[in-house]
Amino acid sequence: MISIDLCLQPCCRDTTMFAVSAEVKGLETMVNLLADVVLQPRLTDEELEMVRLSVRFELEDLQMRPDPEPLLTEMVHAVRLSLLPICRTPQVEKDMTDVSLGPTPIPELTHIMIGLESCSFLEDDFIPFAVLNMMMGGGGSFSAGGPGKGMFTRLYLNVLNRHHWMYNATAYHHSYEDTGLLCIHASADPRQVREMVEIITREFIMMTGSVGEMELERAKTQLKSMLMMNLESRPVIFEDVGRQVLATGSRKLPQELCTLIGEVSADDIKRVTMKMLRSKPAVAALGDLSDLPTYEHIQHALTSKDGRLPRIYRLFR
């Protein structure tokens, strides 16, 4: 068997892929068919006319538009003045008591996400951040566990195993061409929101502490295993090849990536964590937000030594 993957980039943010698998003796026929599909698709006159009209209207619209640069500059200025203070901490107060789809009611929960800037997938620190994310791990409190489920990650050991009232604590790492975001999402009863937030901020601060050799090796092994298992699927291999080539101009083989993962040290984890904690946090919340700490208090906790929120003293309770 031989497989061919043709990946095109019609716009800056997405890809179109054509993949074919067949016996080796049919290689020439397979390439010809793939070329016909891409270069000589059978389009009816009606389809072509519809496309022509659509493109014509778009071109006429573009010609009638003024120079976009002054308008863009003015728009950015207006957004900074009016929306930035609001968008910095998106919060939605919402009644979550009646969201069950079945006869059994779902507990009312408040969800919180705190994220810090990591790096782009083009930077060398991308691999250490991926290991850090795997080391944090986490999931839901009702997970059955099992091999590879991450039951030894920090968010399981330090959070879900110690605080039975937390329903979820999961780390995510999103990386793009210009930057990235490492975040922790957690959910709990609305009456324990403040304590939940402090647990998250303390976990961020604890990332800068010592990293055990067994903990680090487990995270690296789990990341390698996840990488290799994902690449057992042919469609995933096609997508991996196409996206890597379009994004970086080349493709790192799985063996190369595993080597880079194996070279990550405890010092690398501490370095990227210290760098991440120098950025301002992004905070999102959903549910009953009566006891949600302010953005300033969350930011203060992430710049403190122990990750604790400022104490609040009340005369009347």
Side-chain angles (χ1 to χ4, degrees), residues 33-75:
L33 288 173
L34 189 60
D36 283 340
V37 170
V38 177
L39 302 177
Q40 301 179 35
R42 292 181 179 178
L43 300 174
T44 65
D45 293 338
E46 291 78 7
E47 290 174 325
L48 289 173
E49 185 59 28
M50 289 178 61
V51 173
R52 289 193 189 101
L53 288 173
S54 176
V55 172
R56 187 181 303 132
F57 285 135
E58 290 181 5
L59 291 175
E60 290 175 356
D61 184 47
L62 287 173
Q63 290 174 355
M64 295 174 63
R65 292 178 186 177
D67 182 4
E69 286 301 323
L71 181 60
L72 180 61
T73 302
E74 183 179 350
M75 183 184 70

Side-chain angles (χ1 to χ4, degrees), residues 1-4 19-23 30 234 238:
M1 294 288 292
I2 187 170
S3 300
I4 291 182
V20 181
S21 297
E23 293 185 9
M30 179 172 62
R234 193 172 300 279
F238 284 150

Side-chain angles (χ1 to χ4, degrees), residues 9 90 104 124 127 132 143 191 207 227 295 309 313:
Q9 188 170 28
T104 304
D124 293 337
I127 298 296
L132 173 62
S143 175
R191 294 167 295 182
M207 291 180 192
L227 171 67
Y295 177 86
L309 294 165
Y313 301 96

Side-chain angles (χ1 to χ4, degrees), residues 166-215:
M166 288 193 67
Y167 284 78
N168 179 74
T170 309
Y172 302 95
H173 183 226
H174 306 284
S175 194
Y176 309 96
E177 188 173 359
D178 54 348
T179 187
L181 184 73
L182 192 147
C183 54
I184 297 178
H185 163 242
S187 55
D189 187 279
R191 294 167 295 182
Q192 293 167 303
V193 169
R194 183 176 179 83
E195 186 176 357
M196 173 176 64
V197 171
E198 186 171 81
I199 288 172
I200 297 175
T201 55
R202 289 175 65 184
E203 285 301 314
F204 272 113
I205 297 300
M206 288 172 61
M207 291 180 192
T208 63
S210 60
V211 178
E213 181 178 352
M214 184 179 296
E215 175 187 36

Side-chain angles (χ1 to χ4, degrees), residues 27-296:
L27 174 61
E28 185 176 350
T29 303
M30 179 172 62
V31 173
N32 289 335
L33 288 173
L34 189 60
D36 283 340
V37 170
V38 177
L39 302 177
Q40 301 179 35
R42 292 181 179 178
L43 300 174
T44 65
D45 293 338
E46 291 78 7
E47 290 174 325
L48 289 173
E49 185 59 28
M50 289 178 61
V51 173
R52 289 193 189 101
L53 288 173
S54 176
V55 172
R56 187 181 303 132
F57 285 135
E58 290 181 5
L59 291 175
E60 290 175 356
D61 184 47
L62 287 173
Q63 290 174 355
M64 295 174 63
R65 292 178 186 177
D67 182 4
E69 286 301 323
L71 181 60
L72 180 61
T73 302
E74 183 179 350
M75 183 184 70
V76 171
H77 178 68
V79 168
R80 286 177 174 170
L81 289 178
S82 303
L83 298 180
L84 191 57
I86 300 173
C87 294
R88 183 181 60 180
T89 55
Q91 300 172 5
V92 178
E93 188 88 23
K94 186 175 182 180
D95 184 3
M96 306 287 283
T97 58
D98 188 23
V99 295
S100 176
L101 299 177
T104 304
I106 296 177
E108 180 185 7
L109 300 176
T110 294
H111 302 267
I112 182 76
M113 189 284 296
I114 300 177
L116 293 171
E117 187 176 16
S118 58
C119 71
S120 101
F121 55 72
L122 298 173
E123 299 180 47
D124 293 337
D125 285 340
F126 172 70
I127 298 296
F129 268 115
V131 175
L132 173 62
N133 177 62
M134 191 62 64
M135 190 174 72
M136 298 305 298
S141 58
F142 298 109
S143 175
K149 289 297 290 288
M151 298 299 283
F152 290 96
T153 61
R154 288 194 178 187
L155 291 181
Y156 265 113
L157 295 175
N158 301 342
V159 178
L160 294 173
N161 286 353
R162 296 183 182 181
H163 307 285
H164 66 278
W165 45 268
M166 288 193 67
Y167 284 78
N168 179 74
T170 309
Y172 302 95
H173 183 226
H174 306 284
S175 194
Y176 309 96
E177 188 173 359
D178 54 348
T179 187
L181 184 73
L182 192 147
C183 54
I184 297 178
H185 163 242
S187 55
D189 187 279
R191 294 167 295 182
Q192 293 167 303
V193 169
R194 183 176 179 83
E195 186 176 357
M196 173 176 64
V197 171
E198 186 171 81
I199 288 172
I200 297 175
T201 55
R202 289 175 65 184
E203 285 301 314
F204 272 113
I205 297 300
M206 288 172 61
M207 291 180 192
T208 63
S210 60
V211 178
E213 181 178 352
M214 184 179 296
E215 175 187 36
L216 180 60
E217 288 303 316
R218 182 184 290 117
K220 292 195 291 186
T221 300
Q222 190 172 352
L223 182 58
K224 293 177 186 177
S225 300
M226 185 182 69
L227 171 67
M228 299 307 292
M229 284 189 291
N230 286 340
L231 292 177
E232 289 179 357
S233 168
R234 193 172 300 279
V236 175
I237 294 175
F238 284 150
E239 183 175 356
D240 176 63
V241 172
R243 290 189 179 277
Q244 281 203 55
V245 172
L246 288 174
T248 66
S250 62
R251 186 206 178 201
K252 283 187 171 65
L253 296 174
Q255 295 82 353
E256 296 178 73
L257 293 172
C258 286
T259 299
L260 292 173
I261 293 170
E263 293 173 350
V264 174
S265 66
D267 289 338
D268 292 326
I269 298 296
K270 184 172 183 177
R271 175 176 53 77
V272 298
T273 303
M274 295 293 292
K275 171 187 175 183
M276 179 177 65
L277 285 170
R278 288 195 289 268
S279 65
K280 290 185 177 181
V283 181
L286 174 67
D288 182 349
L289 309 181
S290 305
D291 295 330
L292 180 69
T294 64
Y295 177 86
E296 288 72 23

